[in-house]
Structure formats: C-alpha cells, structure tokens
Amino acid sequence: MTDQTAKAAPADIPRAKVDFLPLLLPVVLAIGALLLIGSPTTWLTLTLSALAMGMMIFVIASGMTLVFGLMDVINFGHGAFIAIGAYLAMTVLAPLSGWMSTDSLAMNLSALALAAVVATLGTGALGMLFERVIIRPVYGQHLKQILITMGGLIVAEQALHAVFGGDQKAMPLPTGLRGAIVMGDIALEKYRLLVVIVGLVVFVGMQMVLNRTRIGLLIRAGVENSEMVEALGYRIRRLFIGVFVVGSGLAGLGGTLWALYRETLTAGIANDVMVLVFIVVIIGGLGSVGGCFLGAVLVALLANYSAFLVPKFALVSTVLLMVLVLLWRPQGLYPVAKR
Amino acid sequence: MLRALLSDDLPRNRFLSAVLLLILFGLATAPFLVSGASAINTAAKILIFILLVASYDILLGYTGIVSFAHTMFFGIGGYGVGLAMHFMGPTWGAAGLGAALALVFGVTLAALIGLLSLRVKAIFFAMITLAVATVFAVLVSQLSDYTGGEDGRSFRVPEVLRPTYKVLAEPLFGTPVTGRIVAYYLVFVAVLALFLATLRMVNSPFGRVLQAIRENEYRAEALGYRVVKYRTIATCLSAGLAVLAGALYALWLRYTGPDTTLSFNIMLNILLMVVIGGMGTLYGAVIGGTLFILAENYLQKLLGVAATQVEGIPLIGHILHPDRWLLILGVLFVLSVYFFPTGIVGKLRQSAKA
C-alpha cells in the first residue's frame, strides 16, 4: 500500500517537480515497525487497519486543508461538521434498519450510500450557511477566525445535544460489513476495506479535479495568488464558497465513516479525531492535499504501530512526529502557499 | 497610592470602577457576607479563575497569541501540589515543593513549546498547542498509577486549612471561623497579589513591547525588538501564573483531577471569559471570570425554572434545559466577537471616552 502511494502521488501532479523525500517516510516507518514487531502477519494486519484509519482522517482533513489553502481560513469548527454529518447519517439509517439487517450486501451498501450522501449534502449545505454567517465577516483576521469558529463549534455541539439528546447513540454496522475476511493468518475487517476504497476514491477524485479540470486550475491558482486570479476576471468568491461547501461535505462524509467505525455516536465524537486531523494538516503542510494524504497515512501508521508496541504512548508518538517534522520543515512536508 | 498599586492602569470608567469595587468587596467579605459552603466555593472559584483568565489574557489579549494549552499549565500546577501532598503527606513543605517543581516544569515546557512553534503563524500555534494539550491530558489519564487516572487524587491539606480546625472559639458575624476561611483568605491574598503583579507587568515597558507585537509584528521586529524572545517570555510568564492558579485551586479543593483542571471545557471557558470580559484589559478577566462563574452556578438554576415553564414545547424546552446554558453563552460569545470585539471592559471604556 505504501508503495502504491509512493507511485501514485508523483503521477498525479504533472508538470511540477515532485519532492520525493517525504514519500520515503511511510516506507521507512513501515520497515522499521516490521523489524520491531517481528511477526509479518501481525505487521500486515496492523498496517492495513492503519491505512483504513488514515483514509478516514484524510477524508476529514482534506476539506480543512483545502479551505485553508484557498481561503486562508482555519476552521476550528470543522469538528462540528463531523458530528453533524454523523448524526444526519444516523437519522437516515434509523428507518432503514431493514436494509441494514438483511444478509444482502447490496442492500447494506445502498443504505450506507444513502446515509453518506445525505450526510455529505446536508453538511455541505450547512457549510454554505456557516460560511455566510460565521466566516465571511472575519476573512483575513486569524485571531477572530479562531475565536469565532470555536464559538460556532460550541454552539453546534450544544445544539446537537438539544436536538438529539446528550446520551450515547448506537450506530451499528450493517450485517454484511461485520466481521473480517480471513486469509491465512491475516484478518482484514470488511468495514476497513470499504473505508480504504472510499478514501482512495476521494483522494483520486480530488487530485483529478484539482489537476485535470479548469476549476481545479483556478483553485490551484487561487491558492498561489488569489489577487492575481481575481484580477484576471474570475470570481474567486464563488470558488471560495464552493470549496468551503465541498470541505464541509467531506467532513460530513468523514464523520459518517468515523461514527460507523466506532459504532457509537455522541455530540463530542469529533474531539478525539480532531487532534489527529490537526496533526495531519500541520505535518502535510497547510493547504496541500497531497501532503494531507501523506500525513494521514504517516500518522495512522505510527499511531497503530505504537498502539501495538507501547500502548500508552500512541498519541504522544504522533505529536513527537509532528515536532520532528516541524523541526525539519517548519511549513510542513509540502508547503503550499507562501503566506 | 492607589495609582501605584494599580500601576497607573485605572479602570477609566465610573461604572466599571463601581463594578470592580463591588466585586472586590464581595470577594473580600464572601465568607461572612453569605453563609453556606456553596457560596464560599463559588467565591474561591471566581478568585482562581480571575487569576487564570488574567494569565491567559497576557497571551491572547496583550500579545495576540492563541494558545489552547493553558489548561495544561493549570493542570501541572494542580497535579504538582496534589501529588506532592498525596505522596508526601499534608505538610507545607510538600505543598511548597510540589508548587516549585510544577512551576519549573511548566515554565520549561512553555519555553520549549514557545521556541518550537512561536516562529509559525497564529493558526499553526493554536493547532500545535491544542494537539500538545490533548496529548498531555491523555497521558495524565493513562498514567493512573501516579495521577489516579480519571478519578484524580484526593489528599489532605495542612491542619490550619482544614474545616475542622477552629481559629476562633466564637463565630464572627455569625460565621464560625474555621480552617476553611483561612484557606479562602490564603487564596484571596495570593490572587490579589499575583493579579496586581500581573497588572504591573503588562504596564511596564515589557508589556508595551508585547502590545506592539500584537499590533504589528513586523514593525516591532523592525524597531529592533526580538519578537520570538518576547513572545517566548510572555508564554513562560503566562504559563507560570497558570501553574500557580492550578496549585491554589488544588489546595482549595483538596483534590486534583482531569475534570477540575485539564478538561477541554475549562479551556473553552477561559476563552469565553477573556473575550466576553474584554481582551487586553486585565480588568476584563475580573469581569469575565466573575460573570461566567456566577452564570455557571446560577444561570443553570434560572434555566431550570424557565425550562419547567415551557416543558410542553418540544425544541424550546430542550434549548432551555439547564445543561444547555453553554449554548446560550456560545451564542453570546460569537455575538461578542462580532459586535463587541473589545469585550465588556473595552465597550465601557469607549463609552467613557465618547
């Protein structure tokens, strides 16, 4: 898998010098972990589950990093969209329990797909409102952005409490996706496989849109120099809003994946994952989708390996990674905008 | 005399002065003014949060740094005193040693974080501190052999501070004078002294440099001030004060644990208190802290009354549920960032000028 990312990333960024050095990090990490763990089958199971976790983090973090890259807005309220997406998915899945509990995988998947689509569209629409009400007045003022999006997060979390109640909700996986596929000694949870597929689709989709379409060209140009793009006569504000909506939608999708992964749901669901998301976004370089992907894979690999080797220091190890990366490259692995 | 005590930074508004005097009077006489354990607890909490919020204001208001790791330092203070007393017994020596070690550890950690990340933008720093603080909280709950995990640590305090210790044989103004009252005044005097020292600090030339950095980092740099150095010192000072606040809080509660010192909710509360009270004015910390703790304690009761009135109506009933008081404060927070970016104190001062 790590080899595949190493091959895929350079091919997707044409006509630009690709910095290969950071791509070696996950490979080195994986080989190092193999030596420490010893058993190849355990290592493979850990690596695969780490990749699934990495994909979930990527889906959540990609929207945030894109919003920062283009709009120079860091959305501390991103976690609210994760939680709202998860609650929307739960609301959709509740009446579909028939579809969820049959043995037919097609029915299971279509229920999940429906929930994911509603969650994505719903949070996307909410993102539009959020941009209008919360963020638009504070463009270009970082301090206020942090404060106001934090305020938005508090309000959203409390509102979720008020609407859905504060207790923990169950969010079971459909029958067809429970359990694991066992090949020899390697156990591979079915749901994680699905998550890997979704994550890769999102990543490839984003890279295609960013690199092969006119909109993508404008977005990339806007990240480089938004005034210039505006001067050329493009309405970058609309692009801003579009990107914000997509970013929020991706958070909703990521929230759905995350809630199903944990199989429980509370209004504070985003709090644990947001730390990882922040670390990933910082490691990758704010605004860089490729860096975000690499960062998510790195953080997930490290977290899973260290959870196996020294359980108590799983989270500490990811922060250490962040510190080391920042010492090496203060702007993250793939710095984008020179702000 | 008063001018010297307040470092020439007077409230500059008659109404504000009156409110501040009222708060000072209330806090100074709280144990005798209102009887009952809950009132004195609230007063002590207000005092400690005034110090904590003031220390955060050095960062946010005076230097323009957004840190989410402030509760980490609060926690370090709490655990320093708490664990020292837990393992070494209820002596003053243990408390002093714990506080001193916590202070050294906290300030060192702040210096490291500062040096590592203050070169980066505000947004970066906010995210990095959030990550570090979360990891610290997780680590504390996982190292339960020492810290007591989620349960925290209860401990005994020196005899003079215990409720069973009688200072005067007869009650004073109808209130029995016990060790609890000694403890309260210990907190009161410490907070008052540290607050005045902080006021002195932000009104010194050093404090002016911090404000210059807040207003225009490049210009300050161009004037020859080493911005990173000043920011790191501000981070360390603020961390040190937070450590002391944590130590006092542990001493008052006779308990230390994640919920009272480290939880992210406390971080949010500090942020709300600073912004609503008024950033960059230490008096804002007094107003914000007092209002907020009072609201926390009494708004919930008020909401409880309101909720019973509208019980039949579905969503309104949920919104007015006592546990949802934070929702109302959150909306208030967003509104105040928009419309009163200078907070209550800034607004009052503006109206005085006009």
Side-chain angles (χ1 to χ4, degrees):
Chain A
M1 267 326 275
T2 41
D3 289 346
Q4 196 182 336
T5 45
K7 275 179 209 150
D12 286 333
I13 310 165
R15 296 181 299 279
K17 270 187 203 157
V18 177
D19 189 359
F20 286 101
L21 215 52
L23 296 175
L24 284 175
L25 282 177
V27 182
V28 172
L29 191 66
I31 293 171
L34 179 60
L35 295 176
L36 280 173
I37 292 167
S39 145
T41 50
T42 316
W43 175 80
L44 204 60
T45 312
L46 281 174
T47 308
L48 289 173
S49 60
L51 287 174
M53 187 177 157
M55 291 307 135
M56 272 184 283
I57 300 173
F58 166 71
V59 171
I60 296 170
S62 58
M64 188 160 148
T65 207
L66 202 62
V67 166
F68 178 83
L70 188 64
M71 300 159 73
D72 195 27
V73 165
I74 200 77
N75 184 5
F76 273 79
H78 202 68
F81 292 108
I82 298 173
I84 292 169
Y87 273 99
L88 281 175
M90 187 192 75
T91 319
V92 174
L93 287 180
L96 293 179
S97 59
W99 291 17
M100 296 285 280
S101 52
T102 59
D103 287 333
S104 148
L105 189 61
M107 292 284 262
N108 293 164
L109 284 179
S110 42
L112 283 192
L114 196 66
V117 167
V118 170
T120 312
L121 294 182
T123 47
L126 213 66
M128 201 182 278
L129 189 76
F130 197 78
E131 194 272 344
R132 189 85 189 76
V133 178
I134 301 276
I135 292 182
R136 190 166 298 176
V138 290
Y139 276 133
Q141 307 170 56
H142 284 169
L143 183 69
K144 276 195 173 181
Q145 274 170 18
I146 296 172
L147 295 177
I148 211 121
T149 51
M150 210 71 203
L153 178 69
I154 299 172
V155 173
E157 202 171 285
Q158 294 297 318
L160 279 177
H161 266 301
V163 176
F164 290 96
D167 48 334
Q168 202 174 51
K169 301 271 192 291
M171 197 149 163
L173 281 170
T175 331
L177 286 172
R178 285 190 205 143
I181 306 167
V182 182
M183 293 173 290
D185 287 339
I186 305 161
L188 181 58
E189 278 177 57
K190 291 177 193 166
Y191 180 65
R192 292 184 190 239
L193 203 64
L194 178 76
V195 171
V196 170
I197 295 170
V198 175
L200 283 178
V201 167
V202 169
F203 177 59
V204 174
M206 275 176 100
Q207 289 289 13
M208 293 293 264
V209 171
L210 281 177
N211 292 308
R212 302 284 155 86
T213 65
R214 193 173 174 72
I215 291 183
L217 184 77
L218 284 176
I219 291 176
R220 281 186 298 146
V223 171
E224 278 305 320
N225 190 339
S226 57
E227 278 135 34
M228 183 62 86
V229 179
E230 226 162 23
L232 289 172
Y234 295 101
R235 273 188 241 172
I236 200 137
R237 275 212 175 260
R238 275 199 195 162
L239 218 57
F240 276 10
I241 298 168
V243 167
F244 197 85
V245 168
V246 171
S248 318
L250 282 172
L253 177 65
T256 311
L257 293 176
W258 184 248
L260 281 166
Y261 170 71
R262 301 189 2 155
E263 302 198 58
T264 53
L265 179 53
T266 58
I269 185 171
N271 294 349
D272 338 335
V273 78
M274 273 317 276
V275 175
L276 290 178
V277 168
F278 281 138
I279 293 175
V280 161
V281 168
I282 293 172
I283 286 180
L286 276 164
S288 152
V289 173
C292 178
F293 187 79
L294 183 66
V297 170
L298 261 179
V299 163
L301 281 177
L302 187 65
N304 263 34
Y305 292 145
S306 55
F308 179 77
L309 292 167
V310 265
K312 288 194 172 177
F313 295 97
L315 245 178
V316 179
S317 66
T318 52
V319 165
L320 273 181
L321 176 73
M322 177 180 77
V323 169
L324 291 177
V325 167
L326 284 180
L327 285 177
W328 180 35
R329 294 191 172 180
Q331 300 294 315
L333 292 177
Y334 287 109
V336 179
K338 294 165 199 73
R339 289 202 176 89
Chain B
M1 170 67 191
L2 186 68
R3 223 164 234 287
L5 214 54
L6 295 181
S7 316
D8 232 3
D9 186 8
L10 300 174
R12 295 206 297 277
N13 175 292
R14 223 171 269 160
F15 181 66
L16 182 61
S17 312
V19 173
L20 286 171
L21 279 175
L22 191 69
I23 291 173
L24 182 68
F25 177 75
L27 288 173
T29 57
F32 303 102
L33 207 60
V34 242
S35 58
S38 92
I40 189 173
N41 266 325
T42 309
K45 198 175 175 189
I46 289 175
L47 279 169
I48 283 153
F49 271 84
I50 286 176
L51 179 60
L52 185 64
V53 173
S55 71
Y56 190 66
D57 198 26
I58 298 176
L59 282 185
L60 184 67
Y62 283 90
T63 328
I65 298 172
V66 188
S67 160
F68 285 108
H70 211 61
T71 46
M72 179 168 84
F73 300 113
F74 191 50
I76 288 173
Y79 276 96
V81 168
L83 296 186
M85 303 261 253
H86 179 82
F87 289 110
M88 295 168 56
T91 59
W92 287 106
L97 182 71
L101 285 179
L103 205 56
V104 171
F105 179 62
V107 171
T108 315
L109 196 61
L112 285 178
I113 297 178
L115 285 176
L116 176 76
S117 44
L118 281 175
R119 293 163 183 280
V120 298
K121 287 164 296 201
I123 278 179
F124 250 58
F125 190 69
M127 292 204 285
I128 290 168
T129 49
L130 186 61
V132 171
T134 311
V135 167
F136 185 81
V138 170
L139 207 58
V140 164
S141 77
Q142 280 179 344
L143 297 174
S144 50
D145 293 349
Y146 305 100
T147 59
E150 291 298 320
D151 297 333
R153 286 278 184 222
S154 295
F155 51 89
R156 286 148 62 83
V157 289
E159 206 198 337
V160 202
L161 302 181
R162 288 182 207 158
T164 45
Y165 178 83
K166 285 242 185 299
V167 184
L168 299 173
E170 295 298 309
L172 193 68
F173 303 116
T175 312
V177 183
T178 63
R180 211 61 190 141
I181 296 199
V182 178
Y184 179 82
Y185 281 105
L186 175 75
V187 172
F188 179 79
V189 171
V191 168
L192 191 65
L194 286 169
F195 182 82
L196 290 177
T198 312
L199 203 59
R200 178 67 270 194
M201 200 270 292
V202 296
N203 287 298
S204 67
F206 172 75
R208 293 283 178 265
V209 177
L210 293 187
Q211 288 167 51
I213 291 172
R214 176 192 67 193
E215 292 305 326
N216 193 331
E217 193 187 324
Y218 300 105
R219 204 171 286 174
E221 185 95 55
L223 284 172
Y225 294 110
R226 291 183 48 205
V227 167
V228 173
K229 187 181 101 183
Y230 277 94
R231 276 194 185 155
T232 310
I233 296 175
T235 314
C236 291
L237 274 171
S238 154
L241 285 169
V243 167
L244 292 177
L248 286 173
Y249 201 34
L251 213 54
W252 171 255
L253 289 178
R254 290 169 288 165
Y255 162 84
T256 191
D259 287 341
T260 56
T261 54
L262 285 174
S263 88
F264 189 64
N265 278 336
I266 298 181
M267 190 63 241
L268 285 183
N269 292 354
I270 299 173
L271 205 62
L272 293 176
M273 290 180 212
V274 171
V275 173
I276 292 176
M279 288 185 278
T281 61
L282 285 182
Y283 298 116
V286 179
I287 305 269
T290 310
L291 268 185
F292 195 90
I293 305 283
L294 286 180
E296 190 179 30
N297 282 295
Y298 299 106
L299 187 66
Q300 292 196 38
K301 285 180 190 141
L302 207 68
L303 280 176
V305 177
T308 49
Q309 300 291 317
V310 290
E311 207 152 13
I313 314 162
L315 194 59
I316 308 278
H318 282 299
I319 288 175
L320 287 181
H321 189 272
D323 289 346
R324 294 287 79 77
W325 68 285
L326 205 62
L327 177 68
I328 294 172
L329 277 175
V331 173
L332 207 67
F333 173 75
V334 173
L335 291 179
S336 75
V337 174
Y338 278 149
F339 301 110
F340 313 103
T342 49
I344 297 174
V345 170
K347 199 76 192 163
L348 284 176
R349 281 184 173 174
Q350 259 170 19
S351 68
K353 263 182 224 160

